[in-house]
């Protein structure tokens, strides 16, 4: 018995057309079709990998739905974890360019 959920299609974009398809197993299996999983799948597809995304629920219906698009690294970082703050600030700086690619 297969315990994996059915694969879901990653977000479509003209840049992804024809990528990731083909014979053979995927190069990468992404678990989770939320914002992070689908963004990772998209980047992997852009890099030429064959990607399969699986999730037990519809895309974006888990924690991505609850987060409401919040990028607040100063609020979310723990005081004794400066690397967490640095990563959150880097993500915040990278967001505008990533969002522009989604259009």
């Amino acid at each position: 018995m297969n315990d994996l959920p059915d694969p879901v299609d990653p977000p479509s974009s003209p840049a992804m057309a024809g990528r990731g398809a083909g014979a053979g197993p995927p190069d990468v299996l992404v678990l989770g079709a939320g914002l992070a999983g689908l963004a990772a799948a998209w980047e992997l597809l852009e890099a030429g990998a064959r990607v399969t995304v699986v999730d037990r629920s519809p895309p974006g219906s888990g924690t991505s739905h609850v987060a409401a698009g919040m990028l607040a690294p100063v609020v979310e970082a723990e005081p004794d974890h400066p690397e967490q703050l640095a990563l959150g600030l880097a993500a915040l700086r990278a967001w505008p360019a990533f969002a522009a690619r989604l259009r």
Side-chain angles (χ1 to χ4, degrees), residues 77-90:
E78 297 293 328
D80 55 342
H81 292 94
E83 64 281 351
Q84 183 183 15
L85 177 60
L87 183 61
L89 290 171

Side-chain angles (χ1 to χ4, degrees), residues 28 30 39-51:
V28 180
V30 175
W42 186 20
E43 292 293 333
L44 289 161
L45 284 166
E46 292 277 308
R50 291 184 312 255
V51 178

Side-chain angles (χ1 to χ4, degrees), residues 64-86:
S64 293
H65 173 74
V66 180
M70 187 169 102
L71 280 174
V74 175
V75 174
E76 295 176 357
E78 297 293 328
D80 55 342
H81 292 94
E83 64 281 351
Q84 183 183 15
L85 177 60

